[in-house]
Structure formats: C-alpha cells, structure tokens
Amino acid sequence: MPTTPAPTRTGLIRAMARGFIGRCPHCGQGKLFGRFLKVRPDCEACGLELHHHRADDLPPYVVIFIVAHLVGYLILETESAYDVPLWVEMGVWPVFTLLLALGLLQPVKGAVVGLQYALGMHGFAALPRARPAPGPEEISLAPAGPGGPSGRT
C-alpha cells in the first residue's frame, strides 16, 4: 500500500506571494477568492480550510500606507517640476488614488491570508491531509449509457 508523505507548511514568502496573486497559500493551485474580497471557504485543489482567516483591518491599512506614500510622492514631484493647473490635478489624483487602492486591495488581502497561513494563525495550525494518488482499485469508469459505450439507443 503506497503511503503519501505528510504535507508540509509552505514558507512565509512563498505563501504570501501565492496569496498576492490570488492562489491558495498551501498548494498554489486553487483560487483564493470567490468574489472580489470574499475568501472561499476552502481550496478546491488541496482542501485547505480558508474560512477561519482573520484578515479584517490589516489589508486596508497596508493599502492606505502604500497608496498614500506613492501618491504623495508623485504629487510632490509634480508640483516641484511642472506647472500643472489645479483643475487637472483635482481631476487626476483622486481617480488615480481610487484606482490604485482598488487594484491593491485584493492582492494585499491575499498576502495577509498567506501570512496567517504561514504563521499558523487563526485556525491554520492544521494542514490538509495529503490526497492519495488514485490506485487501480480507486479508478472507476462511468458505466456506459443505454445502448452501449457511445450512449446512443
């Protein structure tokens, strides 16, 4: 009887990178999000339970920190180097800030879920069991429909 090795926890950087791109922090195959910010209850590829994560307020704080520093720097450089009319800046910077914040929110939340997984926080202490490779006795063929293998009558 073949034995499957016990699953090991993915490292911190790799788990956060997988979460950042929206993949399961354990296997990297399954999707992390069902909707924009809704984390799936579990991974469809490896079975890791994801429903107990607690990525409550950290992702918005990190996004605000990143966006504020980036936009603030760009505004400062624009004001120092160019003479841009105020109405252009009032139209460009809020839209740029909003798009950048919305674009970073899901990846940052995925990275936070990956961080929690890698550190074993909030229910991530238990890893999913390794799924055994199907043996000859586990492979079953679907029975043929009426009229033979093609299913035609």
Side-chain angles (χ1 to χ4, degrees):
M1 178 178 289
T3 59
T4 57
T8 58
R9 188 172 302 277
T10 307
L12 178 67
I13 301 299
R14 180 170 283 166
M16 288 181 69
R18 287 176 177 173
F20 189 83
I21 62 172
R23 296 294 178 189
C24 171
H26 180 67
C27 67
Q29 300 297 319
K31 293 182 180 177
L32 186 60
F33 295 99
R35 285 182 264 151
F36 181 60
L37 290 176
K38 178 75 172 168
V39 177
R40 292 177 177 262
D42 57 0
C43 175
E44 70 268 5
C46 69
L48 176 69
E49 293 180 356
L50 299 165
H51 63 86
H52 43 64
H53 75 89
R54 294 287 176 252
D56 299 328
D57 293 336
L58 184 59
Y61 289 140
V62 171
V63 168
I64 289 170
F65 183 81
I66 293 169
V67 170
H69 280 81
L70 183 61
V71 172
Y73 173 75
L74 292 174
I75 290 173
L76 181 64
E77 287 297 316
T78 303
E79 284 292 318
S80 299
Y82 305 104
D83 187 23
V84 180
L86 182 61
W87 66 272
V88 172
E89 290 192 30
M90 294 302 287
V92 169
W93 295 120
V95 172
F96 180 70
T97 302
L98 179 66
L99 292 176
L100 190 60
L102 288 176
L104 282 176
L105 196 53
Q106 186 184 34
V108 169
K109 183 171 182 176
V112 169
V113 172
L115 171 76
Q116 292 175 358
Y117 160 78
L119 297 179
M121 299 168 60
H122 304 297
F124 283 116
L127 294 176
R129 294 188 187 113
R131 295 183 179 177
E137 66 279 353
E138 295 176 4
I139 298 175
S140 64
L141 299 175
S150 66
R152 296 182 189 151
T153 55

